[in-house]
Amino acid sequence: MEYSPYFDPLLETLSREEITALQLQRLRSTVEHCMHSPFYAERLKQCGVSADSIKSLDDLKRIPFTTKQDLRNTYPFGIASVKPEECVRLHSSSGTTGNPTVILHTQKDLNEWAAAVARCLWMVGLRPYDVFQNSSGYGMFTGGLGFQYGAEKMGMLTVPAAAGNTKRQIKFMTDFGTTAVHAIPSYATRLYEVMEEQGIDPRTDTRLHTLIIGAEPHSEEQRRRIEEMLGVKAYNSFGMSEMCGPGVAFECREQNGLHIWEDYYIVEIVDPETLRPVPDGEVGELVLTTLNREAMPLLRYRTRDLTRILPGECPCGRHHKRLDRMKGRSDDMMILKGVNIFPIQIETILLQFEELTSNYLITLETRESNDEMTVEVELGQLFTDDYGRLQELTREITRRLKDEILVTPRVKLLPKGSLPQSEGKAVRVKDIRKHF
Ligand code: COA
Ligand code: AMP
Ligand code: ZN
């Protein structure tokens, strides 16, 4: 493998024994550091775990899982292991109706996050002479600043195009000689279709050769279609805000599983019902323990993402374990246009309108290569049939939903009794998106 400042053979090709020894040493210091977190100090005391009592990685199992609910309960800073004044940035999830989740970062965290992303970008063959365009949302979306700092650290010319305005994205690509783009898979299709409308052939009219795709589940077939359409190699990128953002696990050039950086994380796969470990090769919920975080280490964090560890070694020479592409979630979180949405967020907003009943249906579908959400909701008895008032109400519900979930739904108000009544637990979400 080619040496570079961003490919560290010492860390990337560690043997299993070396990875285990490094993880044990970093787990001990993480647990020691967690004693500064009001939340973890109490929790570690309750389960009787201290840094000194950790003799092997198996001792990790003595510590209870950390959940998203723990992050919400300790909102905003109660789980952090340093004081907010020692931090330089925070990222928060969307939502105004409940407690969002907040992730704090020190400067060291940001530096190491950027280094992890740079490592991933180098791994897929990008080099400082490449031009990297990022179509992620910036601000709180970690795909924005996460890729920005990683790509800059690697030395690439970066184009922080941000989300939306597809024609402008394409103009940037042709004018600036963009060679690599980060886009969510459904948006990659949109990019191609707008190029087609404009008579632009990505193979001859652009210098594109690499796409980084992630943030939402996609199939192998979808990846191959994207590669074919745009004439690129497309690499799967996995991350989440709780673990900083992108840079957690990434495909290498073998495109056969995502290497999860085990010098940064301890990986467990558990049965989401029993919470017992499942053997390598079997699907379960991904649980991660951070090993290098300063502001906000997380111990045994339940990601709710379903995947499996691919058995066997990768021909690329890296021994860091490989995750299979994500198979779904063990909770009801939806991902639309790269934005995470919980049905309860929608329900909470709808319930704030006295004109509405609690009977609603969310449909996710693909229209003209755009993923869209339709929210159908039944009107209550007292409702007027004044058309103007109906329109005004629809606009107001749409605006309030957009504020909450960050994407714009199509809202349809229906007469009472129009939606199917299901026995037992009502089916609230229908996902009929078509991605090939
Ligand atoms: N990335 C980039 N652009 C996107 C996108 C995405 N995930 N989803 C939609 N868009 C584009 C649309 O194509 C449209 O542009 P166009 O009409 O020029 O083609 C524009 O954004 C607005 O989309 P629309 O669907 O009308 O808006 P919305 O109000 O429902 O959604 C977004 C608003 C797109 C700004 C919001 O969904 C968003 O910020 N998504 C990006 C999330 C992200 O970056 N996630 C990655 C985290 S790692
Ligand atoms: P966020 O915290 O907004 O970055 O969202 C993180 C979530 O996005 C993860 O927990 C996954 O559910 C999803 N996600 C991120 N990357 C991928 C990917 N490559 N494939 C499938 N889902 C992904
Ligand atoms: Zn590999």
Side-chain angles (χ1 to χ4, degrees), residues 123 252-254 259 314-318 322:
M123 176 167 72
C252 66
R253 294 179 89 169
E254 300 292 328
H259 287 286
C314 184
C316 79
R318 293 174 181 85
R322 285 169 305 159

Side-chain angles (χ1 to χ4, degrees), residues 356-404:
L356 306 178
T357 68
S358 58
N359 211 16
Y360 67 92
L361 178 68
I362 300 165
T363 306
L364 306 178
E365 57 195 320
T366 309
R367 295 166 167 261
E368 293 167 9
S369 76
N370 277 320
D371 284 352
E372 301 291 349
M373 174 191 284
T374 302
V375 178
E376 293 171 285
V377 56
E378 288 182 7
L379 292 158
Q381 301 284 18
L382 296 173
F383 188 70
T384 151
D385 56 5
D386 175 341
Y387 182 68
R389 174 73 192 108
L390 261 178
Q391 274 198 320
E392 195 188 309
L393 182 61
T394 306
R395 268 198 304 273
E396 178 60 11
I397 298 170
T398 308
R399 193 183 62 75
R400 294 268 290 278
L401 284 172
K402 160 102 194 199
D403 284 349
E404 175 65 27

Side-chain angles (χ1 to χ4, degrees), residues 33-85:
H33 183 52
C34 279
M35 295 299 179
H36 300 290
S37 148
F39 170 83
Y40 278 125
E42 178 60 27
R43 185 161 269 198
L44 290 166
K45 196 169 120 199
Q46 273 171 11
C47 65
V49 174
S50 64
D52 289 344
S53 75
I54 294 178
K55 304 292 178 212
S56 79
L57 290 181
D58 258 359
D59 285 320
L60 180 62
K61 299 197 175 64
R62 292 164 48 209
I63 304 173
F65 295 100
T66 305
T67 62
K68 207 183 259 290
Q69 195 55 45
D70 291 325
L71 295 182
R72 292 189 178 123
N73 293 347
T74 53
Y75 176 87
F77 305 139
I79 215 167
S81 292
V82 302
K83 296 201 168 59
E85 51 270 33

Side-chain angles (χ1 to χ4, degrees), residues 58-115:
D58 258 359
D59 285 320
L60 180 62
K61 299 197 175 64
R62 292 164 48 209
I63 304 173
F65 295 100
T66 305
T67 62
K68 207 183 259 290
Q69 195 55 45
D70 291 325
L71 295 182
R72 292 189 178 123
N73 293 347
T74 53
Y75 176 87
F77 305 139
I79 215 167
S81 292
V82 302
K83 296 201 168 59
E85 51 270 33
E86 293 172 63
C87 297
V88 295
R89 193 192 308 160
L90 65 75
H91 283 270
S92 167
S93 64
S94 68
T96 53
T97 50
N99 280 349
T101 53
V102 171
I103 309 296
L104 285 163
H105 303 275
T106 62
Q107 188 59 55
K108 176 175 171 285
D109 290 331
L110 294 185
N111 295 346
E112 295 197 13
W113 178 15

Side-chain angles (χ1 to χ4, degrees), residues 176-421:
F176 304 149
T178 300
T179 58
V181 167
H182 169 238
I184 67 166
S186 50
Y187 190 61
T189 313
R190 169 85 185 145
L191 278 171
Y192 175 70
E193 298 200 348
V194 177
M195 281 185 190
E196 236 188 355
E197 278 166 23
Q198 295 187 305
I200 291 172
D201 178 349
R203 290 167 190 271
T204 50
D205 301 331
T206 75
R207 293 176 56 218
L208 270 186
H209 56 64
T210 301
L211 231 77
I212 307 297
I213 50 172
E216 64 180 7
H218 55 282
S219 62
E220 184 59 26
E221 195 191 355
Q222 195 179 350
R223 181 241 292 275
R224 293 298 168 211
R225 266 299 299 279
I226 290 169
E227 293 192 327
E228 226 170 79
M229 285 184 313
L230 293 168
V232 295
K233 281 277 179 200
Y235 297 96
N236 194 349
S237 146
F238 172 80
M240 76 187 65
S241 308
E242 296 93 315
M243 301 291 135
C244 285
V248 176
F250 223 82
E251 277 183 331
C252 66
R253 294 179 89 169
E254 300 292 328
Q255 294 186 308
N256 185 15
L258 298 91
H259 287 286
I260 176 144
W261 300 121
E262 292 187 84
D263 47 336
Y264 289 173
Y265 305 100
I266 297 178
V267 190
E268 296 173 82
I269 307 281
V270 302
D271 180 317
E273 298 293 324
T274 64
L275 299 180
R276 294 216 184 87
V278 303
D280 279 9
E282 277 183 30
V283 174
E285 186 181 314
L286 177 68
V287 171
L288 295 175
T289 297
T290 65
L291 294 174
N292 67 333
R293 291 275 287 287
E294 191 172 53
M296 213 158 149
L298 293 173
L299 302 174
R300 306 193 82 201
Y301 183 71
R302 286 190 62 184
T303 66
R304 297 299 202 143
D305 287 310
L306 299 175
T307 182
R308 65 188 184 120
I309 289 175
L310 291 178
E313 288 290 334
C314 184
C316 79
R318 293 174 181 85
H319 300 293
H320 296 255
K321 286 179 182 164
R322 285 169 305 159
L323 301 181
D324 200 355
R325 61 177 64 253
M326 297 298 132
K327 308 281 179 205
R329 302 265 312 168
S330 68
D331 61 7
D332 59 358
M333 188 181 94
M334 309 173 266
I335 305 179
L336 180 71
K337 305 179 200 192
V339 182
N340 302 342
I341 302 164
F342 289 93
I344 186 74
Q345 292 179 274
I346 293 170
E347 182 167 318
T348 306
I349 296 295
L350 295 179
L351 288 175
Q352 288 169 3
F353 288 85
E354 57 182 17
E355 297 89 338
L356 306 178
T357 68
S358 58
N359 211 16
Y360 67 92
L361 178 68
I362 300 165
T363 306
L364 306 178
E365 57 195 320
T366 309
R367 295 166 167 261
E368 293 167 9
S369 76
N370 277 320
D371 284 352
E372 301 291 349
M373 174 191 284
T374 302
V375 178
E376 293 171 285
V377 56
E378 288 182 7
L379 292 158
Q381 301 284 18
L382 296 173
F383 188 70
T384 151
D385 56 5
D386 175 341
Y387 182 68
R389 174 73 192 108
L390 261 178
Q391 274 198 320
E392 195 188 309
L393 182 61
T394 306
R395 268 198 304 273
E396 178 60 11
I397 298 170
T398 308
R399 193 183 62 75
R400 294 268 290 278
L401 284 172
K402 160 102 194 199
D403 284 349
E404 175 65 27
I405 61 176
L406 308 180
V407 298
T408 315
R410 287 150 41 91
V411 172
K412 282 192 194 163
L413 303 181
L414 305 175
K416 198 165 172 18
S418 319
L419 288 172
Q421 298 286 332

